[in-house]
Amino acid sequence: MAVSSTKTVYEIFQSMEYGPAATSSTATAQAWLEHRSRSLGLFIDGKFVCSADGRSCSLADSKGSIVCSTACAEEADISQCASSAVNGFKSWSSLSCNERAKVLLRLVSVLGQHGQCLSELCELCEASCATAALVRLLQFYSSWAQLRDTLLTDWTPLGVVAVVTSKDCPLYSLLLKVLPALAMGKTHTDILITIKCIQIFDMGKNIKALLSSTTKEPCSLWLYKNVSLLFEDGVMLCKATAGMRVPVAVSPCVGSTCPFIIFESADINSAVDEVMEAAFRKKKEVFWVLCVQESVVDSVVAHLRLRMAKMKCVTLPSEANRERVDAAVQEAQQLGATLVQSCADPTSGAQYPSTVLCGVAPSSPCVLDPCPGPLLPLMTFRSNTEAVTLGNHSPHGQAASIWTEDLTLALETAQRLSVGSVWVNSHSICDPCLPVSGHKDSGTCTDGGQEGLYQFLRPSSSSPPLPRSSPVSMDYTQFGTETSPPIIPAESDPARAPQSHLQFVAGKACKSVSGCSVAVQPPGGGLLAYCPDGGRKDVRNAVEAAVKVQPGWMKKSPSARAQSLYSLAKGLEAKRRDIAAAINTQTGLSMDEAEKEVELSITRLSVWAAYCDKVQGGALPMPNSGSALSIPEALGVMGVVLPDYNPLLSMVTVLGATIATGNAVIMVPSQKYPLPVLAFIKVLQSSDLPAGLVNVITGSRDQLTVALANHSVIKAIWYWGSAEGCQYLQYTCTSPLKTLRLCEDQEGKDGELDWTRCRPSFLEEMWRSTVQWKSVWIPTA
């Protein structure tokens, strides 16, 4: 009797070998590529076209085999692409919300017809993407297209948006940018390093002209850009577009370092199974660092050894990658790490066994700067506080996975981790209904949910964006180094001597560290007063005070923060005559106009007090079993360079927005009109705000802008000032990454709005600019 070669289930589980590859797994994709002669052009104006000069580049799979060739765009192709998008925007924006929703819903059926081909093409790129996830995206944003004019009546689409992606960007992440923009009535110009099957959109009527796809280096773009690419490329793009009046948002979707935290109360079997799947998959979007509580580390390592037994070596892209992995492992061993490997290490070739580096230190290079490869660093911790410290050690803040059966411990840890997504007893789950913000160096924008729509909109009451301009020729190292104006000597008669004002740092009125002062002139010229000439050391002292008090202020309940703002408004009302006189003396406005500005400022503070407990996150309905929370969190310490126009009203508007959401703020008053803000210091001194929460530093605007930009602790900068200052900030605030809100002064005004008539949409947009969103996923059985 012939011996059967079929293995039993028991034998299969004992060997854990890979099954035979299906020979027809990519037949549909191969047929589509053959139909295209394995040559993909640029998708412009609803059709594939060749590049202007006919150049192309080859796209290879993981084994080095050529899959197809893609066209390389030149300047002429970029111009044609932009023109097509502008023309498409005119017709797309003229459609009603219902018509746009129908178009997006029609794509769901088209996706069903071509879903297998799309999945196979993603497999060829080793970037698998479930068709069901794309269908969910289309359904979610088609509903928002239907509701745009109902729920977002005070908002206007920006127009044409360009998305720049790297070759490692998943298709899901790309469409998470494209679809919400289309739902809001705008068009997209997708600048891709690698094309990922644009034909599906080719099948949808009324949408072909809206999408264009080219392959081009990111620095050649000149349109509005919303960037989704690796952080290093984002830095290059921010610097290349500095001074062009081009807003740039960075949201890296690959390459971040994320903690995988296992507590002693976790289900060890499930946790180890999931960390194996996450850390050793063929193509990782993030690098995982395993953090295990000391009491269960032996059990976790034992389970890892069992799961890794007889696993095959992982194929690396090249032998150069193998050399980098070897160097990283050797360096970790020299620093005391021990290895757990799935099999023997082959002496040569572009292969390497799955490896766990046990006992590495948080400062180890394999933790701070991991190299691509099947490596999993393992660190230990003793308490929840240590776990949070290890989780926040990375410069990235994209996501974290927490494993514990204690829900209270999970939620407490999730709240303290500075990341955009937290998965409890799960990992790598996503849904478009939840907003996710990149924390720290993981981005400056929000994707997903209703909150992710606002990056493609602007308040209808705001002025249109300024026209594009060429960067100013400037030496960034010399910006802000100009010497301060000379101190004008006081009058010999003490009764006629100008008043010397103080700045406000760490809850105290004080002079500048340098002890120098600058002269303040009235509208007609002459000498009105002296104010401190603050500098880098004053900013340092203010940041130190703000860092100490901001976490406690953020933990206060929204109603407690609201009461503090109401108290601040009451204090301003008590000193309204003195502050109105300061406005009158400094700006030359009549007393009636000055008192009107004070009255508007009191009202504005009360509005922000009311906002504190009205706009919050919460639980959202999920398509699968489980619960999910969206939580707005304060950015941290913010720097604000205030405008010249409406010096008091603009200050309280910005102050209320920042501290209402739990931030601390360092404000630089108008260099031209500082006295109204300095008079407001008396209101701050009599308020119940914690010392150090609000700091006011006077002096040279450019010099203080440089000090704010170069301080690594400051998370965001709002700037009203010169074109050179805007360019400097966009070029400089890339490492570490800062959220910027830039507005050029135009003809003596702020170039953005009338502060006396701020519509609700503008206040809401300002509120949303002071928070970053976090999503917490809690699965159920």
Side-chain angles (χ1 to χ4, degrees):
M1 183 175 65
V3 179
S4 174
S5 61
T6 304
K7 293 185 178 181
T8 65
V9 174
Y10 176 79
E11 291 171 336
I12 292 174
F13 273 95
Q14 285 295 313
S15 63
M16 295 300 290
E17 294 179 354
Y18 291 107
T23 56
S24 60
S25 62
T26 60
T28 307
Q30 297 292 351
W32 182 82
L33 290 172
E34 291 294 343
H35 178 70
R36 296 283 177 181
S37 302
R38 295 191 175 273
S39 177
L40 301 180
L42 312 175
F43 192 78
I44 300 177
D45 203 19
K47 57 183 179 295
F48 281 103
V49 297
C50 297
S51 61
D53 62 353
R55 290 194 308 115
S56 64
C57 57
S58 298
L59 176 65
D61 58 17
S62 59
K63 298 179 181 179
S65 303
I66 302 300
V67 176
C68 64
S69 63
T70 59
C72 295
E74 294 299 325
E75 291 296 334
D77 301 304
I78 298 292
S79 298
Q80 183 183 359
C81 178
S83 300
S84 172
V86 170
N87 293 331
F89 173 70
K90 296 177 181 178
S91 57
W92 181 248
S93 59
S94 65
L95 297 178
S96 66
C97 291
N98 184 51
E99 290 172 327
R100 285 195 293 267
K102 286 182 178 179
V103 173
L104 293 178
L105 280 176
R106 193 178 301 128
L107 291 176
V108 175
S109 60
V110 177
L111 182 62
Q113 299 173 13
H114 299 272
Q116 181 180 355
C117 178
L118 182 61
S119 299
E120 293 173 3
L121 287 170
C122 290
E123 286 294 336
L124 286 175
C125 301
E126 292 188 346
S128 59
C129 183
T131 304
L134 302 183
V135 169
R136 168 68 178 151
L137 270 177
L138 286 166
Q139 291 174 339
F140 180 79
Y141 286 113
S142 64
S143 63
W144 270 113
Q146 182 73 53
L147 296 174
R148 203 208 82 177
D149 287 351
T150 304
L151 300 180
L152 302 170
T153 54
D154 291 336
W155 298 83
T156 301
L158 291 174
V160 179
V161 177
V163 175
V164 184
T165 69
S166 72
K167 62 182 179 181
D168 297 321
C169 176
L171 180 59
Y172 183 91
S173 298
L174 170 64
L175 294 184
L176 194 59
K177 291 289 188 183
V178 173
L179 295 179
L182 293 175
M184 294 298 99
K186 43 194 329 103
T187 61
H188 250 280
T189 299
D190 300 321
I191 313 300
L192 304 175
I193 306 302
T194 301
I195 294 179
K196 294 180 182 286
C197 188
I198 201 73
Q199 190 191 28
I200 286 181
F201 294 100
D202 190 15
M203 304 294 292
K205 295 181 179 178
N206 298 327
I207 203 170
K208 294 194 299 182
L210 302 180
L211 291 165
S212 299
S213 179
T214 61
T215 50
K216 183 69 179 176
E217 289 299 320
C219 287
S220 64
L221 300 181
W222 50 270
L223 295 170
Y224 173 92
K225 299 172 185 62
N226 197 304
V227 187
S228 176
L229 72 167
L230 292 173
F231 175 62
E232 290 80 8
D233 294 334
V235 171
M236 178 177 62
L237 187 56
C238 288
K239 291 186 176 182
T241 56
M244 295 183 181
R245 294 174 179 163
V246 175
V248 178
V250 182
S251 58
C253 53
V254 291
S256 296
T257 302
C258 302
F260 196 104
I261 304 173
I262 301 179
F263 288 97
E264 61 184 0
S265 56
D267 180 351
I268 302 300
N269 284 323
S270 299
V272 171
D273 285 343
E274 293 301 315
V275 76
M276 290 286 295
E277 195 276 334
F280 299 129
R281 62 172 56 179
K282 287 186 177 180
K283 190 167 185 178
K284 299 184 293 184
E285 297 173 10
V286 299
F287 297 104
W288 291 100
V289 175
L290 183 58
C291 305
V292 183
Q293 198 157 9
E294 281 186 355
S295 57
V296 293
V297 65
D298 292 337
S299 176
V300 169
V301 172
H303 280 77
L304 285 170
R305 290 183 187 275
L306 182 62
R307 299 293 195 280
M308 294 172 64
K310 298 183 180 180
M311 283 181 61
K312 295 181 178 180
C313 289
V314 176
T315 302
L316 302 176
S318 64
E319 292 193 11
N321 289 77
R322 164 63 190 259
E323 294 176 359
R324 289 185 59 192
V325 172
D326 280 332
V329 171
Q330 291 174 7
E331 187 174 15
Q333 286 181 299
Q334 292 173 359
L335 295 175
T338 58
L339 306 185
V340 176
Q341 293 186 319
S342 59
C343 58
D345 182 5
T347 57
S348 61
Q351 288 188 329
Y352 202 83
S354 299
T355 303
V356 178
L357 303 172
C358 301
V360 297
S363 58
S364 176
C366 65
V367 175
L368 297 177
D369 186 22
C371 65
L375 302 181
L376 176 63
L378 187 152
M379 299 184 291
T380 59
F381 61 89
R382 286 169 291 184
S383 63
N384 180 27
T385 301
E386 286 188 13
V388 172
T389 302
L390 289 178
N392 290 333
H393 181 64
S394 168
H396 307 114
Q398 184 169 339
S401 179
I402 300 173
W403 289 80
T404 176
E405 298 298 324
D406 186 343
L407 183 58
T408 301
L409 175 62
L411 292 178
E412 180 184 348
T413 306
Q415 184 180 19
R416 296 170 63 188
L417 286 172
S418 182
V419 295
S421 294
V422 179
W423 299 297
V424 178
N425 297 331
S426 56
H427 73 89
S428 305
I429 305 173
C430 55
D431 189 85
C433 74
L434 274 183
V436 179
S437 299
H439 292 216
K440 297 187 286 189
D441 280 351
S442 286
T444 59
C445 64
T446 300
D447 295 321
Q450 179 178 351
E451 290 72 19
L453 301 175
Y454 291 97
Q455 61 184 315
F456 305 110
L457 301 169
R458 63 176 178 84
S460 301
S461 59
S462 64
S463 303
L466 295 174
R468 300 292 173 253
S469 64
S470 300
V472 179
S473 178
M474 60 183 295
D475 184 355
Y476 294 102
T477 61
Q478 297 299 314
F479 180 79
T481 60
E482 297 83 0
T483 56
S484 301
I487 298 177
I488 303 177
E491 297 285 345
S492 57
D493 183 3
R496 300 175 56 191
Q499 182 181 359
S500 293
H501 291 266
L502 301 175
Q503 57 189 15
F504 191 65
V505 177
K508 299 178 181 178
C510 58
K511 297 180 179 180
S512 65
V513 174
S514 65
C516 298
S517 298
V518 292
V520 180
Q521 297 181 339
L527 178 62
L528 182 61
Y530 294 114
C531 67
D533 186 17
R536 178 179 57 84
K537 293 183 179 180
D538 297 279
V539 171
R540 177 201 61 192
N541 294 341
V543 171
E544 289 178 356
V547 167
K548 291 178 182 178
V549 73
Q550 189 271 330
W553 174 253
M554 182 177 63
K555 291 179 182 178
K556 280 195 171 186
S557 66
S559 59
R561 294 199 296 266
Q563 290 304 315
S564 295
L565 281 169
Y566 280 126
S567 174
L568 197 64
K570 187 179 295 185
L572 177 58
E573 188 168 10
K575 297 185 181 297
R576 61 187 308 159
R577 294 292 301 176
D578 295 339
I579 296 180
I583 296 175
N584 166 258
T585 304
Q586 174 79 93
T587 64
L589 293 176
S590 65
M591 280 300 296
D592 290 341
E593 292 176 312
E595 289 180 354
K596 181 180 179 181
E597 182 171 344
V598 175
E599 181 63 32
L600 287 172
S601 300
I602 296 171
T603 303
R604 191 65 49 79
L605 282 174
S606 300
V607 169
W608 283 125
Y611 256 95
C612 285
D613 57 355
K614 300 300 185 296
V615 185
Q616 295 294 325
L620 295 175
M622 302 303 300
N624 301 318
S625 61
S627 302
L629 304 174
S630 63
I631 306 169
E633 294 184 338
L635 293 174
V637 180
M638 299 179 61
V640 178
V641 181
L642 294 166
D644 294 334
Y645 195 60
N646 291 118
L648 178 68
L649 181 58
S650 60
M651 184 273 296
V652 299
T653 302
V654 173
L655 172 65
T658 54
I659 66 175
T661 51
N663 298 283
V665 63
I666 300 167
M667 297 189 296
V668 177
S670 163
Q671 187 174 351
K672 186 177 181 181
Y673 302 130
L675 295 190
V677 178
L678 294 179
F680 186 77
I681 289 178
K682 295 181 180 180
V683 179
L684 293 173
Q685 288 176 311
S686 61
S687 71
D688 62 350
L689 294 177
L693 184 70
V694 179
N695 302 273
V696 179
I697 303 176
T698 58
S700 168
R701 172 187 284 173
D702 291 346
Q703 182 179 353
L704 292 173
T705 298
V706 171
L708 294 173
N710 291 326
H711 204 294
S712 61
V713 175
I714 295 176
K715 303 299 183 182
I717 295 179
W718 292 4
Y719 178 85
W720 284 267
S722 64
E724 292 80 4
C726 294
Q727 181 174 330
Y728 175 83
L729 288 171
Q730 193 169 357
Y731 185 88
T732 307
C733 296
T734 54
S735 182
L737 196 61
K738 290 180 174 61
T739 302
L740 299 178
R741 182 188 181 95
L742 308 177
C743 184
E744 269 185 48
D745 283 340
Q746 294 290 313
E747 298 179 358
K749 293 190 178 182
D750 300 336
E752 186 180 79
L753 77 158
D754 180 0
W755 290 97
T756 62
R757 297 182 179 181
C758 289
R759 293 177 61 87
S761 59
F762 176 80
L763 296 179
E764 182 182 358
E765 190 264 345
M766 184 171 285
W767 177 88
R768 293 183 181 279
S769 300
T770 63
V771 299
Q772 54 191 357
W773 290 87
K774 175 186 291 183
S775 63
V776 181
W777 299 78
I778 308 172
T780 57

